[in-house]
Amino acid sequence: MSHPILVTGAAGGTQGSTGRRVASLLMEQGIPVRALVHKLDARSDDLRKQGAEVVESDLLNPASVQAAMRNIKRAYFTYPVADGLLEAAVIFATAARDAGLELVVNNSQFQGTPGDPAFRDLQHAPSFRNLQHRLTDRIFDWARVGAVHLQAPPYYENVRALVSRSVAEKSTVFLPWGEDTTVIPLVGAEDVSRVAASLLANPDAPSQSAYALVSETPTVREMTEALGRAIGRPIQYLAITDEQWANAVKERINPHALDHLTHLWQYFRRGEERFQATDTIRAVTGRDPQTLGEFCRANAKAIGTGQH
């Protein structure tokens, strides 16, 4: 592959870090990567050591995005759970169209099970952030850049971040998920990244324009039991109110993410949809998806001590 693949979010963050994983997976296959990072630091230095071409850029700056698109035919787009998603998507899609990109793999959000009347329905988005993702999908479709949307539910990594502190300190999960029979669809960031890298590395066009990525659909009770087995001690779940949870996390979660998660918990609590695991990860990557139990065992120290 003569053209490098542009990967946004390549420096990685504190949770899923799919951009970082996608970049590494591509470079492991000998595929050239242009890693777009928001700032130069030790993380970008590490990318350079792996062989990436590192570009400092701001997804909200049209000129810098346009410059990053030079000699690019394929790209991975992801944006943190913060303000600016729609603006970044318009800027990126416009630059991709002008540069003649043939494929943009877009890290989107879960939008219901295909066949569900609410699937991709703008009126049934569970949160404003989720609505933004649905609009972003359409922006990329309208740009005609071969867009493929990875529609994923919360990551295992999100669960780890939400529970590790209280599990370490009190062996208890404090969340506003209602009854312990509430179902929360989940997927591992590693598998989302593998699907993205597989699509980007394949010279053929993807067979679908959207892939629903759901590895498991555990109840809250099953999630708590998996956590307990991983760290070797019983864990209890205590349902709290949205207000109690918001007050507890508002110092470490930005307002945009807080609003999104609050509405997402309300959506899951209502239990209006019967979530189903999908076979997408196995079909695209040829590997079984990571299970919640496997993730918890691999992250037992971080979960049990509250350290990441």
Side-chain angles (χ1 to χ4, degrees), residues 1-13:
M1 188 173 291
S2 59
H3 298 277
I5 294 177
L6 179 64
V7 178
T8 66

Side-chain angles (χ1 to χ4, degrees), residues 25-148:
L25 288 166
L26 292 172
M27 287 188 287
E28 286 171 7
Q29 300 176 61
I31 296 173
V33 167
R34 181 173 297 163
L36 193 151
V37 301
H38 192 65
K39 65 178 180 178
L40 301 177
D41 55 20
R43 297 171 301 167
S44 59
D45 290 342
D46 186 57
L47 285 166
R48 279 201 184 92
K49 291 176 183 177
Q50 292 183 55
E53 174 194 355
V54 175
V55 175
E56 185 178 17
S57 181
D58 183 348
L59 287 176
L60 297 177
N61 182 321
S64 69
V65 173
Q66 187 176 40
M69 290 279 184
R70 291 178 187 142
N71 195 37
I72 293 293
K73 291 299 180 184
R74 295 185 166 210
Y76 176 69
F77 176 84
T78 187
Y79 195 84
V81 185
D83 290 331
L85 172 61
L86 281 177
E87 295 90 335
V90 171
I91 291 168
F92 199 88
T94 301
R97 182 196 61 197
D98 292 345
L101 264 66
E102 64 184 20
L103 174 65
V104 172
V105 176
N106 167 39
N107 187 20
S108 187
Q109 279 189 354
F110 185 63
Q111 299 182 16
T113 303
D116 186 322
F119 183 61
R120 295 200 76 190
D121 184 349
L122 298 181
Q123 298 182 28
H124 291 82
S127 73
F128 180 66
R129 171 70 178 202
N130 189 268
L131 172 61
Q132 288 182 314
H133 273 289
R134 297 180 188 217
L135 292 170
T136 292
D137 290 6
R138 297 191 178 189
I139 288 167
F140 279 115
D141 289 341
W142 293 337
R144 298 183 182 275
V145 290
V148 174

Side-chain angles (χ1 to χ4, degrees), residues 224-247:
T224 306
E225 291 172 348
L227 289 166
R229 286 193 297 271
I231 67 173
R233 66 177 189 267
I235 302 298
Q236 64 174 334
Y237 165 70
L238 181 63
I240 58 177
T241 66
D242 291 325
E243 292 75 16
Q244 288 173 320
W245 179 74
N247 286 331

